[in-house]
Amino acid sequence: MSIELKNVTKKFGEVTAVQEVSFSVRDGELMGLLGPSGGGKTTVLRMIAGLEVPSQGDIFIRGRRVNALPVQKRNIGFVFQNYALFQNMSVRGNIAFGLNVRKWQRPDIEVRVRELLALLGLEGLEQRYPHQLSGGQRQRVAIARALAPRPGVLLLDEPFGAVDAKIRQELREWLVRLHHELNVTTLFVTHDQEEALEVSDRIAIFSRGGLEQVGSPREVYEQPANEFVARFIGVLNVLELEVRDGRARVNELAFPSHGRTEGQRLRIGFRPYAVPISADVHAYRYRALLRRTFFLGVMLRVELELPSGLIIRARMTKEDYTRENLHDGAPVSFQIRQYRVLSGDDDALRPEVATVHDLPPMVGEGI
């Protein structure tokens, strides 16, 4: 393993920022650290870099315990959220800075700087200063400076947070290409779910200082370890049900009781993509009005309003929407084809009953 954390805790006075976190990063892996603000992800990154010292637990880099190892001896490149470029230095000066500190020979510095200018698409900009660059260019200079000494690990803290949406998308694609070319172990912090899903080989999801789940983008989306992950990665409809007459019900909707007895409650969660919709009001079991459509490009987000006023969120392709001749205010029918039973503690999915149901429309009662 390139990096390994074992039961790492970090306290700032009475505040516990990270609580007994353990995970590992493989050689050459691109891992995203994802979570809401205050989740602990940046503190974890800073402890790996050596900018913070763990209160408890151990951090290993390539098998070596580094808890007490100074920053400059960890062979790590760190890119800060605000770039932290030297404003009085040119692009060339910023990239060469770490090499000068390490007392590289001038010819070697020139060769390395030219390599990075070409690799990161900065040729022709070497004499410019940070204020003369775009946000995307400044970010690439910051990454070039971090890569210059050939670090074994690259750490990025919210690397694309300071640029607009179009540049952010371009930088994501560029980072993936760069990583494949260099194959350097890379961790990046983000609170953007789409960014983490698109860029990462694996994702570590943090909340309230704890590690909720580590897995591939597909794993954390399709097999969330708990309700926090299910809600944080993508959109989740959650329904509060009560067992009446042998069925778990809420308003017009009815589902199997999943072992609950009369009067007991349970909760289910389902993704918007698990809700097929038809303009034919007899095609599926349930009826609703198409309350509102949000155009997101190829995909559309749709809100359905049941006669009781309950709102269900769904997604469909633009082609399906057009084929069904749908529009806001139209009567529709729908079905819920997949869902998971949630536990009652607002946190975990209960593995023993977290069965994914995938039944065709109109089969059986409810689902």
Side-chain angles (χ1 to χ4, degrees), residues 26 29 197 201-203 205 213-226 229-230 233 271 340 349:
R26 303 163 186 149
E29 187 170 34
L197 291 169
D201 296 325
R202 287 193 302 153
I203 304 172
I205 302 173
Q213 184 173 1
V214 177
S216 70
R218 184 168 185 174
E219 286 170 344
V220 298
Y221 186 83
E222 295 184 350
Q223 302 170 38
N226 55 47
V229 175
I233 301 290
R271 300 289 191 190
R340 287 180 179 266
L349 295 175

Side-chain angles (χ1 to χ4, degrees), residues 83 130 133-141 159 162-164 167 171:
Y83 314 140
L133 303 174
S134 69
Q137 290 168 341
R138 289 196 294 271
Q139 183 60 278
R140 282 183 281 154
V141 172
V163 297
D164 62 41
I167 299 300
L171 283 172

Side-chain angles (χ1 to χ4, degrees), residues 23 36 46 55-56 104 140 142 160 216 235 243 315 350 353:
F23 70 95
R46 289 176 64 84
S55 303
Q56 298 174 24
W104 280 37
R140 282 183 281 154
F160 313 133
S216 70
V235 178
V243 177
R315 283 204 178 207
R350 295 181 60 176
V353 294

Side-chain angles (χ1 to χ4, degrees), residues 74-96:
R74 296 196 184 197
N75 193 28
I76 281 177
F78 197 105
V79 179
F80 295 91
Q81 183 175 359
N82 62 357
Y83 314 140
L85 297 177
F86 300 111
Q87 298 301 312
N88 62 336
M89 291 186 183
S90 66
V91 168
R92 178 182 294 277
N94 268 281
I95 296 173

